[in-house]
Amino acid sequence: MAQRTTGVFRLLAAGWAYQAFQDALGARAFHRRVAAWLDVGPGQRVLDIGCGPAAILDHLPAGVEYHGFDDSAAYVAAARARHGSRGHFWQARVERTSLARLGRFDRVLALGVLHHLDDDGARALCDLAAAALDPDGMLLTYDPCWAAGQGVIARALIARDRGQDVRDAHGYAALARARFAAVDAEVVRGHLRVPYTAAVLRCRRPRAPAARGPVPW
Ligand SMILES: C[S@@+](CC[C@H](N)C(=O)[O-])C[C@H]1O[C@@H](n2cnc3c(N)ncnc32)[C@H](O)[C@@H]1O
């Protein structure tokens, strides 16, 4: 289990409580920025891995085809209640799902998910995203990160995150580079109402999966 679920974190398991917490931190303004980075228009397809209550969908243009899945049944229910037929939502774990029947996507999004996953889980997410993406598509990830010169408040908040696999930007990028030929990592600060440091990855040019088993001579 790569995320904390006891004590105060139990409260965040409810979709409404998680969303209220995100809103208090200023996530709405940040989601507008994410939507601009995604740069999608009507007719394009977005897959949101670990979508939570799918708050990002409020900021995507009408006509975007949105698919989101999450391990949490409560968050998936909150996404359905909030957006109805505007998106497709289902419960699944990154490590145990196949998306082959869904076709290719223009963008894959994983906002705040990699730091909930150990290295095997993070590799599974990158495998899923690379396989689901159109060759010209982009995987965008966002996660809290360790960074030089980080303030004590940001460090303290990140140390108490539910996700237990926070890395530095290089650590996130190294995992993505196994499945993407072009990975751009950016450290962002000042995007929430509290001091916070996060890594944004823009991953392009998905690679074919590594061959399994012995290589024939
Ligand atoms: C910090 S929340 C982010 C939610 C949403 N992306 C957002 O930006 O509000 C992390 C999400 O990842 C989901 N998650 C964690 N581990 C997962 C896994 N193994 N498979 C699918 N979803 C997972 C959690 O249920 C949670 O909704």
Side-chain angles (χ1 to χ4, degrees):
M1 176 64 66
Q3 71 181 15
R4 297 183 176 98
T5 54
T6 54
V8 71
F9 296 106
R10 198 189 301 267
L11 185 62
L12 292 180
W16 66 267
Y18 173 77
Q19 198 53 59
F21 181 63
Q22 292 287 306
D23 290 350
L25 292 177
R28 273 177 203 274
F30 178 63
H31 279 151
R32 278 196 289 279
R33 256 174 95 180
V34 171
W37 290 336
L38 281 178
D39 190 24
V40 277
Q44 291 194 291
R45 307 182 78 224
V46 173
L47 171 68
D48 192 355
I49 298 179
C51 62
I56 186 68
L57 186 48
D58 287 341
H59 306 282
L60 299 182
V64 166
E65 187 183 317
Y66 176 96
H67 298 248
F69 74 87
D70 198 284
D71 185 34
S72 159
Y75 289 178
V76 170
R80 285 201 186 106
R82 180 177 183 142
H83 300 292
S85 60
R86 171 118 198 257
H88 307 268
F89 312 99
W90 70 101
Q91 185 189 5
R93 277 187 77 75
V94 164
E95 303 87 337
R96 293 188 210 142
T97 197
S98 160
L99 303 171
R101 69 199 153 80
L102 293 181
R104 296 294 176 109
F105 290 85
D106 299 287
R107 301 285 183 273
V108 177
L109 188 59
L111 281 185
V113 186
L114 285 175
H115 75 286
H116 287 248
L117 302 175
D118 63 16
D119 285 358
D120 285 345
R123 285 188 202 102
L125 187 152
C126 292
D127 284 353
L128 267 190
L133 265 177
D134 185 85
D136 296 326
M138 176 178 70
L139 163 67
L140 183 83
T141 74
Y142 164 92
D143 286 277
C145 71
W146 305 122
Q150 195 165 35
V152 285
I153 298 178
R155 281 195 88 80
L157 288 174
I158 291 168
R160 286 161 182 75
D161 195 284
R162 269 190 305 174
Q164 295 189 288
D165 287 278
V166 175
R167 303 163 175 98
D168 63 16
H170 297 294
Y172 290 120
L175 287 161
R177 283 197 177 105
R179 287 302 259 116
F180 291 87
V183 175
D184 169 52
E186 180 188 359
V187 174
V188 295
R189 297 177 165 88
H191 55 293
L192 296 179
R193 291 193 184 117
V194 293
Y196 208 65
T197 316
V200 173
L201 301 185
R202 293 175 180 81
C203 311
R204 298 185 178 84
R205 295 171 48 208
R207 299 179 199 271
R212 303 206 194 282
V215 178
W217 296 103

